[in-house]
Amino acid sequence: MKRLLALIHREYWENKGAFRTTPLVIGGIYIAFLLMSIFTTAHIDSDLYTFKEAVRVMGEQSPDFRGRIMYNGMLGSSVLFTLVMSVVIFFYLLGALYDDRKDRSILFWKSLPASDTLTIASKLLAAMVLVPLSFLAIMILTHVIMSIIGSLMVMGVDGNPWTLFISVFNPFKAWGMIAASWLAQSVWALPLGLARSR
Amino acid sequence: MTSIISAKGLTKRYGRMVAVDHIDLDIPPGRIVGLIGPNGAGKTSALKAILGLATFDGELQVLGKNPSRDRAALMEDVCFIADVAVLPRWIRVWQLIDVTEQIHAGFSRDKCMEYLAHTKITPDHKVKQLSKGMVPQLHLALVMAIDARLLVLDEPTLGLDILYRKQFYTSLLNDYFDEQRTILITTHQVEEVEHILTDLIFIQDGKIALEATMDEVEQRYVELLVKPEMAERARSLKPLYERELFGRHIFLYLNADREQLSSMGELHTPSVADLFVATMKGGKS
């Protein structure tokens, strides 16, 4: 178990850019777009009139309706994460067994007492568990930051973010749904991964 | 004492080509064995079989295990440096130490840091930032910190300058080697290892051309240096090999009468390099 964890850790170190930096960049893009829209609105909109109206109209809807909007918004914002993640996993698996051979470092890895089965298991687990977890954690972080910014905006026009859009739905349901769909995806793709490792 | 490596009829074929042809080997513990042969003689194929990196025919046991079946278990007691630069280039030194420590039960972090303290390598260096000579230093520090019974070195110093090469073998000999350990070295730079070897194996066309301890080599082989006028007489005593150097003739004899020879000129113990050339040429004719 210790060896397997060490090998997975090694996959993380080797692919830090793809596994960690890439989702951070996506999260950054979402936040940047949010801030940009706020600043543009603030610049054009006198006294944030349109924004106030939007908050008012939103407040008039039923909590159930607002909850559905939030829930679908979260699922929608996961699309970019999902798409990029599948590209990351595809290229990771494409190179996972080949790169060590290309730079001949396989001769070092094979000098360690870790069996080939364990090594392949570590790469498969990195693709199926480590990458989705990393993307999920950073996506959740992005959602939280965006909600904080949104809340500050609502509070700025004397609204109550808690009753307006936070308490109306359960974000864990959305995150759980996204995580479950990712896991289902990787299980569906598992035969492809195993076929490649032959 | 049981052997570290024992092979009977070890054979490696690549399609129709036979790289290793029915080799018998028996290497006891506490030796430094030089496996020496020209390019394409089958050295690397033999090493790959010993390290469990390739399949083979015949019988082969390393530390009592079958390398192609039990590679992972075997690597607990075997270390190898296969070529100069096989450390992953993206990794940082501390990550390399971490992962080796987690996977290798016999690894001592303290020892490794101690060896590294003598070099310019720091934990934050990436392997690709290290100079060509520092990478083998790092690899050697890692390997010397592992309590292994067999160390296999395949051209460990190829392309390094002479300072690094000397230092490499000095630390290997002073800090690592003892009676429990066995080292198997292949190299083309024979001159540099001949003083540290205890055993010599020449391999040619997949077969063993010579297998002897260094003491046996000294007893069996003798080199005679004679002036040109004595050359004809020396030639009549059936030397293995003859060459000329600065107008003097040098002959190599196997199991010759030393008293008879010493009357003709100077006697020397042949260097491994000369012996190698003689054996390879002799084998061809």
Side-chain angles (χ1 to χ4, degrees), chain B:
Chain B
M1 285 272 222
T2 48
S3 348
I4 297 288
I5 301 173
S6 83
K8 266 205 193 94
L10 176 65
T11 303
K12 175 72 196 174
R13 291 190 185 87
Y14 296 101
R16 274 211 203 133
M17 207 194 80
V18 184
V20 178
D21 193 2
H22 295 89
I23 278 185
D24 296 334
L25 272 180
D26 184 48
I27 299 176
R31 324 261 36 197
I32 304 182
V33 183
L35 184 64
I36 294 161
N39 292 328
K43 285 173 304 197
T44 304
S45 298
L47 285 189
K48 274 190 175 166
I50 288 170
L51 294 169
L53 296 174
T55 55
F56 55 84
D57 299 318
E59 270 177 57
L60 173 63
Q61 294 233 308
V62 181
L63 300 167
K65 294 190 179 83
N66 177 332
S68 74
R69 246 200 346 254
D70 303 325
R71 181 189 61 82
L74 186 63
M75 288 304 133
E76 312 237 355
D77 293 310
V78 177
C79 283
F80 68 89
I81 301 185
D83 211 332
V84 220
V86 299
L87 293 180
R89 289 174 51 72
W90 53 268
I91 208 166
R92 285 185 195 279
V93 174
W94 68 264
Q95 293 171 337
L96 194 61
I97 293 171
D98 260 21
V99 75
T100 312
E101 188 183 32
Q102 297 292 314
I103 296 178
H104 227 303
F107 179 79
S108 152
R109 174 181 286 265
D110 295 341
K111 262 195 199 166
C112 183
M113 297 315 283
E114 204 180 299
Y115 295 130
L116 285 182
H118 297 297
T119 67
K120 289 183 194 150
I121 302 166
T122 66
D124 262 341
H125 269 114
K126 272 191 183 177
V127 168
K128 65 175 153 208
Q129 296 167 332
L130 299 176
S131 74
K132 200 173 180 186
M134 284 154 94
V135 178
Q137 275 185 331
L138 172 61
H139 206 158
L140 189 65
L142 274 181
V143 158
M144 291 205 304
I146 294 170
D147 189 22
R149 290 165 63 197
L150 172 64
L151 172 63
V152 176
L153 303 171
D154 186 9
E155 295 288 359
T157 57
L158 198 70
L160 303 189
D161 71 38
I162 191 148
L163 292 176
Y164 278 119
R165 294 203 301 257
K166 282 260 183 242
Q167 196 192 13
F168 184 91
Y169 288 116
T170 311
S171 17
L172 196 64
L173 209 56
N174 293 345
D175 303 330
Y176 186 77
F177 183 67
D178 62 36
E179 300 85 65
Q180 307 306 315
R181 289 184 169 145
T182 301
I183 303 179
L184 181 61
I185 306 177
T186 75
T187 180
H188 288 123
Q189 282 143 347
V190 190
E191 301 85 358
E192 271 161 35
V193 292
E194 70 169 299
H195 303 291
I196 70 171
L197 296 181
T198 64
D199 290 71
L200 203 56
I201 297 174
F202 286 168
I203 180 166
Q204 186 180 25
D205 299 332
K207 293 197 171 74
I208 288 180
L210 181 136
E211 186 185 10
T213 66
M214 290 303 275
D215 293 339
E216 284 167 352
V217 168
E218 230 167 280
Q219 283 164 19
R220 283 192 218 157
Y221 292 90
V222 67
E223 208 172 57
L224 173 69
L225 209 80
V226 294
K227 297 208 171 81
E229 54 267 29
M230 299 294 275
E232 216 34 64
R233 232 185 101 194
R235 213 168 280 139
S236 68
L237 293 171
K238 293 192 181 119
L240 287 179
Y241 187 63
E242 174 187 350
R243 67 199 161 99
E244 260 188 80
L245 191 69
F246 300 127
R248 301 247 250 166
H249 289 252
I250 302 172
F251 295 92
L252 183 75
Y253 296 94
L254 171 62
N255 296 330
D257 181 354
R258 282 173 198 244
E259 271 184 40
Q260 190 187 1
L261 292 182
S262 61
S263 65
M264 293 189 278
E266 279 175 60
L267 289 185
H268 291 288
T269 303
S271 73
V272 172
D274 292 334
L275 193 59
F276 177 71
V277 173
T279 312
M280 293 302 133
K281 293 258 164 96
K284 287 253 160 67
S285 60

Side-chain angles (χ1 to χ4, degrees), chain A residues 144-183:
Chain A
V144 168
I145 293 175
M146 288 173 84
S147 305
I148 291 173
I149 296 173
S151 303
L152 289 175
M153 284 295 292
V154 172
M155 278 157 76
V157 296
D158 296 328
N160 183 344
W162 179 255
T163 52
L164 184 68
F165 73 92
I166 299 178
S167 65
V168 292
F169 83 117
N170 179 3
F172 290 98
K173 204 179 144 197
W175 293 328
M177 188 59 130
I178 294 164
S181 76
W182 287 352
L183 189 65

